[in-house]
Amino acid sequence: MRTRNIALSSVAAATALLGVAGTAAADSTPAPSASAQPGTGDGAQALCKRVPKIEKRIHRALQRLQGKAGRRGSVARLEKRVEKAKAAGHTEIANFLDHKLTHRKSLVPTLQQRQKDLAKVATWCRTHHNAASS
């Protein structure tokens, strides 16, 4: 459920960015001058505001994925389910769960990279006074 929500929010963010870019491209006004404030119009202020919540969400997702076999949503738990399905001779179930396991394993490096990128964003926000306009 959470993975789907993360994916949907990513798609929504990308769509919003593409919509803004498309509107800007269609606009016939000249480009802003070099004296314009850096970071205006790119959502920096809003992103800086949301950094703590995003950090918590990524941290929780990684904890869940890297949890022990008793933890719902963990890679270890799904691996156990795949083994049980194979042992029971349920080939189709094992196949389905194995594909799900592959996807879940791929989430770990993606979330770890997002965590690193977000740390850089947080640093940028601190150095730019949380991207607040003067």
Side-chain angles (χ1 to χ4, degrees):
M1 182 73 172
R2 234 180 244 289
T3 305
R4 185 181 68 185
N5 287 343
I6 291 170
L8 288 175
S9 61
S10 297
V11 169
T15 304
L17 288 174
L18 289 175
V20 169
T23 304
D27 203 7
S28 61
T29 58
S33 65
S35 64
Q37 286 186 345
T40 56
D42 65 353
Q45 189 172 8
L47 181 59
C48 287
K49 185 178 178 182
R50 292 187 43 78
V51 165
K53 287 183 180 181
I54 297 169
E55 284 174 339
K56 285 180 188 176
R57 189 167 52 233
I58 291 173
H59 179 72
R60 276 194 323 259
L62 282 171
Q63 275 187 320
R64 184 178 57 252
L65 288 169
Q66 295 169 339
K68 295 183 180 182
R71 177 95 188 245
R72 290 182 71 187
S74 70
V75 170
R77 183 177 175 130
L78 193 52
E79 285 173 339
K80 224 176 183 181
R81 288 180 65 196
V82 170
E83 289 171 15
K84 286 181 179 181
K86 285 180 182 177
H90 301 153
T91 312
E92 292 81 10
I93 304 298
N95 229 1
F96 174 80
L97 293 175
D98 194 42
H99 287 121
K100 192 173 180 176
L101 176 63
T102 302
H103 173 70
R104 195 169 290 179
K105 283 181 178 179
S106 75
L107 289 175
V108 174
T110 301
L111 288 172
Q112 288 171 336
Q113 183 60 49
R114 285 185 185 172
Q115 201 171 36
K116 290 175 188 173
D117 293 343
L118 194 60
K120 291 176 186 176
V121 168
T123 302
W124 184 90
C125 290
R126 281 191 299 277
T127 60
H128 290 82
H129 306 291
N130 288 325
S133 57
S134 302

